[in-house]
Amino acid sequence: FVPNERAAGKNHNEQDDVVTFYMQKPDVVNLVDGIVQICQDNTNTQPRITLIQGNETNGKDAFISAILKQPRLFNSSLILEANKCYHDDPFFCFAPIISRILLSFGEVQERLEELKKRHKRSSALASFLATSGFKTDLYPCGVDIVPAELRPYLSLINDFVFKGFPLLNSSLEVKRMKDGEKVDKCIEVLHGLILQFLELRQEPGILCISDIDSLDRYSGRLLRRIMNSKVNLHVIGGQDDSSEALVDFVRPSNFDNDSQVNIRAVSLPSLDRRATFQLFLWSLRNDLSSDDRGRINHNDVHDMIFQLSGDAHGCTRLAHAFGTQLSSERQSNGSVDVLECLKCFLSTTPSDFEEVLLFRMDKMSPEEQMLLKIASIAGFDSYCFSQNILEAILLALSQHGVSGEVDEAGNLNDEQCDVPMSIGGNVPLSVGASEEVNQFSYMLQDDKFEQTLDSLVSQKFLEEVNIEMSDLSSLDSAMYRFRSAREQSVVNGLMLNDQKRRIHYEVAGYYSKSLTRGGSDILSQENDSSVSDMTSMTSLPATDWELTHIIALHYDLAEVPIPAMLNYFESSSQLASLGVRDKAHGRLLSAYLMLEKILHDAATQELEVDEHLFQRRQLVGCMVQTIGNGEMKESLKVLTRDHLHLAFSGDIVAFTKGLQMLMKFGQSTGTIEEEGYLFGSELYLQTILLVLLTLEDGVFATLTTGLSSYLGQQDIIQVKRDKGDDDDDEFCLDDLTVSFPAFSGLLTFYRDSPIGANQVQETFLASMFVAVTKEANQVIHELRTKCILSHLYLKHGNVAKALEECEGIKEIYDHDLHSLELVTMYGMDWSIVCIGTMASTYLFQGRFAAARHNIEFLEEQLTKLDEFASSTKAMTRGTIASYYLLLREFEKAAEMSKGIAETKYGFFFKPFGVLVEELANRELSLDQKKKFDGPDSNLLDILSTDAVHGVNLKRSMLSQSAETLCDRGIEALQASVCFVVMRNLELHEQSEEVLMRQIRYCQAGLVYLKQTLGQTDANNHERRKNFLACLFLRATLLRWHHRLQEQLQHSYNEHVDDILGIEGCEVETAKQSLDECYELSVIYSYPFMQLLVGKSLVDFGYVDPSEGDKLMQKAFSSIDPADVAVFSWDKICQ
């Protein structure tokens, strides 16, 4: 706000003025007294929260700083100050606290010193060694950093908090963890680390988070866990006063029942006119004597007070500006009239925020203005930036030019140092130097640059950031950040678009090189004495999920989409490997938008398309239209291989990465977003289209010839006959494996989601998949195609062919050779899934020996690897357990499902497995005549939803997948759990309450069944097993409902509301359900269900039992005697 020639020695800190102003306020003193009193109570082991509700304008952060700087609090407590929540990266705000704690342990510092000897070029290492932690008292080696049971998992902190920097030794336990386990375990480790440190310090803890309402979700979970602990800790958090309620993660409902969390909200009032005037005078205490300040009357600054009322920092800036001008006039004129000078100052000072900023910049030197603009780019999105990067950009701008090429990573080729025209080479280069010198290099001479940068700090535009408070792990010098994001935005807006693109490009290039330098520090062979040494001294990371995101962001803003896409994708992959799925999905979206831009720009190019490629485009369009479910984007319709060659500058590697990103995004969209299968299928179709367009001509001709019976077009022969010479054109794909996940994923969406794909679409798509996998000639792809065909045959009613393909899978499948490869390529071991599906199909067909063989085959696979290290195998345990439940072999079911609910990671079929485990345990208890508590799930909640009166036709893919791949779906299992709870209540002493609870569970079970039976495709071939099981269970529940209502009426003259509208017709509807179940079982040859229906009619009580006996005899007559011999019918009849 003040001119560059401000008085020497006047280096006021405006934050300090606001802080010290608040420090003397009684509100702060009294608040601190209360906190200290609570903390000094040694019996206090329950964390408390004090929320300071305010905003940036009225000095919320300064108010919190005033609390922390009170000597009474500072000297009596351990203060742990978190970072401001500039970003929502995992545990971002806790990074300085974690750094401080770890660097206070001798073993961590010894490791850093050892790393220093081996990795002398690492800037990240240098930043750690520069932290204040190296100057604190150390806990000697041998002192536990975390509780012993968490010690093997300490190195998780490396990836989450330090973005891959190996501050802590890695361990085999971490390497063996599933991605989905890592987040929860890291939260547990960080919780243990903080509590262990507080215990070692033996003093009350103060945890300060200045914007607690902006915490990332992972830090929020960590904070909740800390608040649920027994520890003497007081949390001081800042919350925006616009919030209507407490921030979500500090709501009392989020804490354990035995945790009485004390939450106190302190509303920071806006500065009224009187307080603003007091702050203005307080900020002038170093410029004016007390007498001069006493002469200033409130009326003298009335207009200023009116405009600045409530703006603490604006008030201090104005005071500093006046103090500087006053000092300058005193030096020029000697004695001055303070009041006259103040009136003159206020009359010429702008009041609008942007006008004030421009006023300040007008007083700056050209060098300061240019450096501030560069900083506004380097610090885009509130990221920190280093002195070195500003120097590097300045140097690059001084070496101006407009030619050169960009490689696939976005870097200039080694022989070119100029900037390509396409990303803003025509940047204005003058910074106000003499006409003879049109470069920036003079600023880098002597200490001109440092002086200019210091000037921006002293003028309060920038602030230096402590290393541990920074948000970059690739640090190489002093770090800075804009004090005000609003000021940064205004400064950024003063630049031309070409200027901004050029500087964004230089920032991206700088970080790309620094990332490469950080990853190039590897252990030299001569320094490594043993294998164990290698495990404890890992190489520095070649990737960094935060830095690659920043690189991508700057390439994006520089309008260089290819390296932006690649870096967004790399950042996403790193986050996905940590189990941070939500953040990884967001990065994939950014990468996809870059690819969209690339393809759109390519489609607008006017190219002379070769006739051969034109025919290819037409044929590929027909193929994709055949398997697709809608119109393609116009930009995709015009693409040829030549367009793609131009778009990717002939870089087939970058193009292939783009295909991989598309498939990952399709998979992520389908599993994360609601109804994501719609967009996910589009992404898979785009991938298939791009692959077919770029296939090598010979491969494409072979593929289409194999599909001629489906295509039926002469164009296929023509394309093959007239194919161009690819010898000089390397932009083509000859390896189809890159596309296999797209075919597999699209077939899965068509199978498990309500997209409504018809038989023609699915058959042609499956045939294409078979054709492309033949080219690869690898067993894992043959296995996947057999799984696809088996499910496809089942879906369209050809059960014999489905089982034949399954048997083929068992013949060639080798767990050790194929399981891991299938998971890597296709996301799951689909062979095991398919065999599990066909096991229940065999069972329903009455082929009990074959079903048993499938189950034995699956059980053998489970012994090959810890099943809970594989999501496929955890799912398979649920499938096998459900099979045993149908046969009433409850001990086997309970043993097989044991541990599913306790898996430390989430997987797609976990809800299914959890229900199977609960049902198995309940059934086993009843079989052993034991009552149980529960249930564990809120099964009755559905009675207060719209599901009572309607059917949700947009269920999740999980509900549909379970009904397709298993013998029963989610709703069928929920209804079964309701039934087992009803039978458990039967063991209790009869009472009105017990009967009413039984009826409520009965009603809930019927509602669950309505949801699955009411689906438009509920009776499809692939879901018929679930449909039959639900019809059978519905008949049972209706009979129970009728009996329980009569019993309640007769014994207690009470009645439960007939919310389902079934009262009086239960018996008739139950008989209809059994009849439908039996008829379908006969039509589709499912004698197992015929047996169950016959047994139910025997027990029905409302029909002649002989009718049921006849049905059972007929069913047994259709079953092979060898199968009857291995079938325990007596067990089912118990």
Side-chain angles (χ1 to χ4, degrees), residues 28 180 225 284 298 315 324 326 364 403 537 870 910 1099 1120:
V28 172
R225 185 163 187 142
L284 289 171
H298 184 277
C315 181
T324 301
L326 184 65
M364 295 165 61
S403 62
M537 299 298 296
S870 163
K910 187 171 183 178
D1099 301 333
D1120 190 290

Side-chain angles (χ1 to χ4, degrees), residues 409-636:
N411 302 314
L412 290 174
N413 294 334
D414 292 339
E415 64 273 13
Q416 298 286 352
C417 63
D418 295 328
V419 181
M421 177 73 78
S422 62
I423 53 89
N426 54 337
V427 177
L429 298 172
S430 174
V431 293
S434 62
E435 294 182 0
E436 292 79 14
V437 181
N438 194 24
Q439 292 187 331
F440 296 141
S441 56
Y442 72 92
M443 285 183 63
L444 302 175
Q445 298 172 6
D446 301 323
D447 58 353
K448 179 68 174 176
F449 179 85
E450 286 77 8
Q451 289 179 357
T452 306
L453 185 57
D454 287 344
S455 172
L456 297 180
V457 174
S458 61
Q459 293 182 72
K460 312 298 183 294
F461 284 105
L462 308 179
E463 62 180 347
E464 191 166 351
V465 180
N466 293 335
I467 293 294
E468 61 269 23
M469 290 287 194
S470 176
D471 43 35
L472 287 176
S473 61
S474 180
L475 310 174
D476 42 28
S477 61
M479 302 297 295
Y480 299 89
R481 181 184 272 119
F482 266 80
R483 279 181 171 273
S484 166
R486 190 177 175 190
E487 287 184 356
Q488 180 178 5
S489 177
V490 173
V491 173
N492 189 275
L494 297 176
M495 304 176 69
L496 300 174
N497 285 335
D498 278 349
Q499 288 178 309
K500 289 191 276 192
R501 290 167 56 202
R502 166 69 187 275
I503 297 174
H504 278 300
Y505 179 80
E506 294 295 344
V507 173
Y510 177 88
Y511 284 136
S512 294
K513 291 175 183 176
S514 95
L515 188 63
T516 304
R517 286 196 301 269
S520 65
D521 290 341
I522 57 174
L523 299 175
S524 59
Q525 295 292 331
E526 61 271 18
N527 289 336
D528 296 328
S529 56
S530 67
V531 175
S532 62
D533 194 34
M534 280 292 291
T535 59
S536 64
M537 299 298 296
T538 53
S539 61
L540 294 186
T543 55
D544 176 331
W545 52 263
E546 181 186 47
L547 191 54
T548 49
H549 172 67
I550 295 171
I551 292 168
L553 179 66
H554 283 284
Y555 276 132
D556 185 351
L557 295 167
E559 299 183 24
V560 191
I562 293 178
M565 177 192 74
L566 296 176
N567 281 282
Y568 279 133
F569 184 33
E570 178 62 31
S571 180
S572 170
S573 300
Q574 292 293 316
L575 285 167
S577 70
L578 297 176
V580 187
R581 300 293 181 186
D582 55 335
K583 298 289 293 180
H585 183 68
R587 305 280 161 89
L588 280 172
L589 172 59
S590 298
Y592 171 71
L593 293 176
M594 292 298 98
L595 179 61
E596 258 202 336
K597 177 174 172 49
I598 295 168
L599 297 179
H600 179 269
D601 290 348
T604 61
Q605 303 300 313
E606 295 185 4
L607 299 180
E608 186 175 341
V609 179
D610 178 84
E611 178 64 22
H612 154 67
L613 293 181
F614 178 79
Q615 290 184 12
R616 163 86 73 95
R617 183 177 71 191
Q618 295 295 103
L619 181 55
V620 167
C622 290
M623 294 168 72
V624 174
Q625 281 291 108
T626 302
I627 62 176
N629 233 23
E631 283 291 319
M632 287 189 299
K633 293 182 179 179
E634 291 300 321
S635 59
L636 295 176

Side-chain angles (χ1 to χ4, degrees), residues 23 106 135 144 161 177 357 445 488 626 758 860 1056:
M23 284 182 70
K135 303 177 181 64
D144 290 335
V161 180
M177 293 182 75
L357 182 57
Q445 298 172 6
Q488 180 178 5
T626 302
N758 56 46
E860 181 183 355
V1056 174

Side-chain angles (χ1 to χ4, degrees), residues 924-945:
L924 180 60
S925 294
L926 291 184
D927 190 54
Q928 297 172 346
K929 309 301 182 184
K930 298 177 182 177
K931 292 185 288 187
F932 57 79
D933 298 325
D936 296 336
S937 47
N938 299 320
L939 293 169
L940 296 181
D941 288 353
I942 196 169
L943 295 178
S944 58
T945 68

Side-chain angles (χ1 to χ4, degrees), residues 770-819:
V770 172
V772 297
T773 52
K774 279 183 179 178
E775 291 289 321
N777 194 28
Q778 294 180 23
V779 176
I780 62 162
H781 306 310
E782 183 182 355
L783 286 168
R784 182 63 182 118
T785 56
K786 282 183 173 295
C787 294
I788 291 290
L789 291 173
S790 181
H791 285 295
L792 192 62
Y793 285 133
L794 184 64
K795 181 173 184 177
H796 297 297
N798 195 339
V799 179
K801 288 290 290 181
L803 295 172
E804 181 183 327
E805 291 292 344
C806 176
E807 292 302 314
I809 292 171
K810 288 157 61 178
E811 289 176 5
I812 63 176
Y813 177 82
D814 184 303
H815 178 280
D816 294 340
L817 294 177
H818 306 135
S819 183

Side-chain angles (χ1 to χ4, degrees), residues 94 128 389:
F94 277 95
F128 274 107
I389 194 173

Side-chain angles (χ1 to χ4, degrees), residues 621-900:
C622 290
M623 294 168 72
V624 174
Q625 281 291 108
T626 302
I627 62 176
N629 233 23
E631 283 291 319
M632 287 189 299
K633 293 182 179 179
E634 291 300 321
S635 59
L636 295 176
K637 291 181 180 180
V638 303
L639 291 177
T640 65
R641 189 165 68 197
D642 283 349
H643 288 89
L644 297 172
H645 183 283
L646 178 66
F648 285 88
S649 301
D651 185 354
I652 195 66
V653 175
F655 175 73
T656 304
K657 280 281 188 183
L659 295 177
Q660 293 169 345
M661 179 276 299
L662 262 182
M663 290 182 286
K664 285 289 186 185
F665 189 38
Q667 180 185 25
S668 181
T669 299
T671 55
I672 288 180
E673 296 184 9
E674 186 176 357
E675 298 186 30
Y677 48 82
L678 296 172
F679 185 42
S681 62
E682 285 185 31
L683 297 171
Y684 284 142
L685 283 167
Q686 285 184 37
T687 306
I688 293 171
L689 171 75
L690 295 174
V691 168
L692 294 176
L693 288 175
T694 50
L695 273 183
E696 187 270 330
D697 282 351
V699 177
F700 183 76
T702 302
L703 172 65
T704 50
T705 301
L707 295 170
S708 57
S709 60
Y710 295 95
L711 295 171
Q713 296 186 27
Q714 294 299 316
D715 292 343
I716 301 173
I717 301 174
Q718 187 67 30
V719 168
K720 181 178 179 181
R721 186 178 299 155
D722 295 343
K723 71 184 183 74
D725 183 6
D726 287 326
D727 293 340
D728 298 326
D729 185 1
E730 296 181 356
F731 195 81
C732 59
L733 294 172
D734 55 7
D735 182 6
L736 280 163
T737 56
V738 67
S739 67
F740 292 171
F743 285 97
S744 174
L746 188 56
L747 282 162
T748 301
F749 282 154
Y750 282 0
R751 183 195 68 207
D752 296 340
S753 68
I755 288 179
N758 56 46
Q759 186 170 352
V760 173
Q761 287 176 284
E762 289 189 291
T763 303
F764 183 46
L765 178 59
S767 300
M768 286 179 65
F769 188 37
V770 172
V772 297
T773 52
K774 279 183 179 178
E775 291 289 321
N777 194 28
Q778 294 180 23
V779 176
I780 62 162
H781 306 310
E782 183 182 355
L783 286 168
R784 182 63 182 118
T785 56
K786 282 183 173 295
C787 294
I788 291 290
L789 291 173
S790 181
H791 285 295
L792 192 62
Y793 285 133
L794 184 64
K795 181 173 184 177
H796 297 297
N798 195 339
V799 179
K801 288 290 290 181
L803 295 172
E804 181 183 327
E805 291 292 344
C806 176
E807 292 302 314
I809 292 171
K810 288 157 61 178
E811 289 176 5
I812 63 176
Y813 177 82
D814 184 303
H815 178 280
D816 294 340
L817 294 177
H818 306 135
S819 183
L820 183 58
E821 280 197 73
L822 282 166
V823 172
T824 302
M825 175 62 73
Y826 295 110
M828 294 186 76
D829 185 342
W830 287 103
S831 297
I832 289 179
V833 174
C834 182
I835 294 168
T837 301
M838 297 308 154
S840 59
T841 302
Y842 277 131
L843 174 64
F844 274 60
Q845 281 197 328
R847 298 172 63 179
F848 304 120
R852 182 73 68 178
H853 184 269
N854 268 27
I855 293 299
E856 290 171 352
F857 182 92
L858 293 176
E859 289 178 334
E860 181 183 355
Q861 309 314 311
L862 292 179
T863 65
K864 302 287 182 67
L865 180 71
D866 175 11
E867 63 276 10
F868 294 124
S870 163
S871 58
T872 304
K873 293 188 176 181
M875 169 193 172
T876 302
R877 276 190 167 269
T879 302
I880 297 174
S882 184
Y883 169 90
Y884 282 133
L885 284 171
L886 289 174
L887 296 177
R888 296 183 62 83
E889 297 183 29
F890 300 130
E891 287 190 15
K892 290 183 178 180
E895 180 61 30
M896 181 57 62
S897 61
K898 183 180 179 180
I900 293 178

